Amino acid sequence: MEELVILNRTAEKAKNLAETLKGLGAKVKAGTLSLDNLDEELPTTNILVNATSAGMYPNIENSPVPSGLLHSDLCVMDIIYKPLETKLLKDAKSAGAKVVSGLEMLLYQGAVAFEIWTNYPAPLEIMRKATLNELEKQGVYL
Ligand SMILES: NC(=O)c1ccc[n+]([C@@H]2O[C@H](COP(=O)([O-])OP(=O)(O)OC[C@H]3O[C@@H](n4cnc5c(N)ncnc54)[C@H](OP(=O)(O)O)[C@@H]3O)[C@@H](O)[C@H]2O)c1
């Protein structure tokens, strides 16, 4: 069974979330978002998701993960969409990893909501263009 590892700056919050997920049957462990823990976990990790705001505008030179720990067997998702290509995603690309930007989460949560409310398939490409136009209007670096 695959394991979920939740690392957060405030370890207490990660532990509370892990307890909730364990109650739903997930194999999960939690700890502090520290260099030691990243160093221990990342070599055997396949999917890395940044759900923190580290790297979000205006702190675009920040990343929650040192570039040297990223590798080509990773798929890295950053849920930040301002900017669309964060430092973490740039570093991940340079390390040969697959990358997924925060645009996808923004788009697909809207698509699911659209389908629940209308019972029609979501017009994903129209929604993608509209989202990108709106982000551009808001000055999001694309
Ligand atoms: N793509 C999407 O659809 C979508 C949807 C929602 C949010 N987002 C983005 O997701 C990000 C987080 O949003 P949120 O609403 O969850 O924010 P939030 O409630 O403020 O949570 C921020 C999280 O980031 C951690 N954090 C903040 N600064 C950090 C730093 N310098 N180093 C390490 N950890 C740090 C916090 O740790 P502590 O617990 O220790 O404070 C906390 O876990 C934002 O960039 C937001 O724009 C994207």
Side-chain angles (χ1 to χ4, degrees):
M1 188 184 181
E2 298 303 327
E3 184 181 46
L4 175 66
V5 180
I6 304 171
L7 301 178
N8 194 47
R9 184 175 59 181
T10 310
E12 195 59 26
K13 288 194 216 165
K15 285 179 184 155
N16 289 343
L17 178 57
E19 285 311 310
T20 303
L21 294 172
K22 273 183 203 161
L24 299 171
K27 189 176 173 202
V28 52
K29 69 178 179 187
T32 309
L33 180 60
S34 65
L35 193 52
D36 278 354
N37 282 338
L38 287 170
D39 197 26
E40 187 182 324
E41 298 297 341
L42 279 172
T44 53
T45 296
N46 300 116
I47 300 174
L48 169 68
V49 180
N50 175 35
T52 79
S53 49
M56 184 172 78
Y57 180 86
N59 302 311
I60 60 171
E61 292 310 319
N62 289 357
S63 168
V65 181
S67 57
L69 295 181
L70 300 166
H71 56 81
S72 59
D73 287 336
L74 276 172
C75 177
V76 180
M77 175 169 195
D78 201 327
I79 76 164
I80 291 171
Y81 52 82
K82 188 174 182 171
L84 282 182
E85 191 176 59
T86 56
K87 176 167 184 340
L88 172 64
L89 293 189
K90 283 183 191 155
D91 290 345
K93 255 190 197 168
S94 300
K98 292 195 181 96
V99 297
V100 182
S101 84
L103 173 68
E104 303 306 317
M105 176 170 158
L106 192 59
L107 180 64
Y108 279 88
Q109 58 83 26
V112 171
F114 182 95
E115 292 183 356
I116 289 170
W117 281 97
T118 67
N119 256 335
Y120 287 103
L124 270 176
E125 284 321 303
I126 293 171
M127 291 174 75
R128 182 181 293 276
K129 277 188 195 145
T131 307
L132 283 169
N133 281 344
E134 194 53 40
L135 290 176
E136 203 170 7
K137 266 195 243 161
Q138 290 178 21
V140 171
Y141 168 63
L142 301 176

